[in-house]
Amino acid sequence: QVTLRESGPALVKPTQTLTLTCTFSGFSLSTSGMCVSWIRQPPGKALEWLALIDWDDDKYYSTSLKTRLTISKDTSKNQVVLTMTNMDPVDTATYYCARKLVVTDAFDIWGQGTMVTVSS
Amino acid sequence: QSALTQPASVSGSPGQSITISCTGTSSDVGGYNYVSWYQQHPGKAPKLMIYEVSNRPSGVSNRFSGSKSGNTASLTISGLQAEDEADYYCSSYTSSSTHVFGGGTKLTVL
């Protein structure tokens, strides 16, 4: 059974750096074709793709946010970490991690999401 | 990367069929057969319903189907049921090796 779970602070202050961890089970990110992505959703708004890391440690970022994002993985711990710098109230959202398979290019399994509020 | 364009809302009566469109460009929807669709109920995580334009994951009802023509992809739900009421999002791979989602469509079952 494949599961993913996001963890991180519920509240961050403006200008701070957000660090989120995605802990997964049921698959290995060292297996060819496996990827993990981060996606966010502001309250009442649409999904927004943020970043992706693949089994070969290749990393891809949203064009509009790439200067603020860093994605990394710890294969031994089955974790993917996303950092976002210079947080702003508009970054208030539920942040999801999801598995993507290269063969289908779809996000087939999602975590439950973690709500992050940016406020002083 | 601009979001894909979806209608804000659609509605239908139980038993009817509805179609949700998702319009992009030749750099995303039109350029690749990597369009997927997600269903999201309030307060829940999205669920994959369609991948690679028209393929259903195991366990997804065959009432859900997908297609694509040019830069526009479509999700059709036949035999509408009350449980289908949710938000639906399309997504596409892009020429920049990124992904883009649509603005979402709220489906109301009357």
Side-chain angles (χ1 to χ4, degrees), chain A residues 39 41 45-49 52 60-61 63 96 100 103-108 110-112, chain B residues 1 34 36 38 40 44-46 48 51-52 89 91 93 97-104:
Chain A
I39 296 148
Q41 185 174 37
K45 296 189 178 181
L47 300 169
E48 178 182 20
W49 181 81
L52 179 144
Y60 304 88
Y61 297 100
T63 304
Y96 295 98
K100 194 196 92 162
V103 67
T104 62
D105 200 73
F107 306 107
D108 65 333
W110 294 61
Q112 63 187 13
Chain B
Q1 185 70 49
Y34 289 138
S36 50
Y38 302 86
Q40 186 180 36
K44 301 294 187 182
L48 176 64
Y51 67 93
E52 288 182 315
Y89 293 91
S91 177
Y93 181 74
S97 300
T98 61
H99 292 78
V100 61
F101 283 94

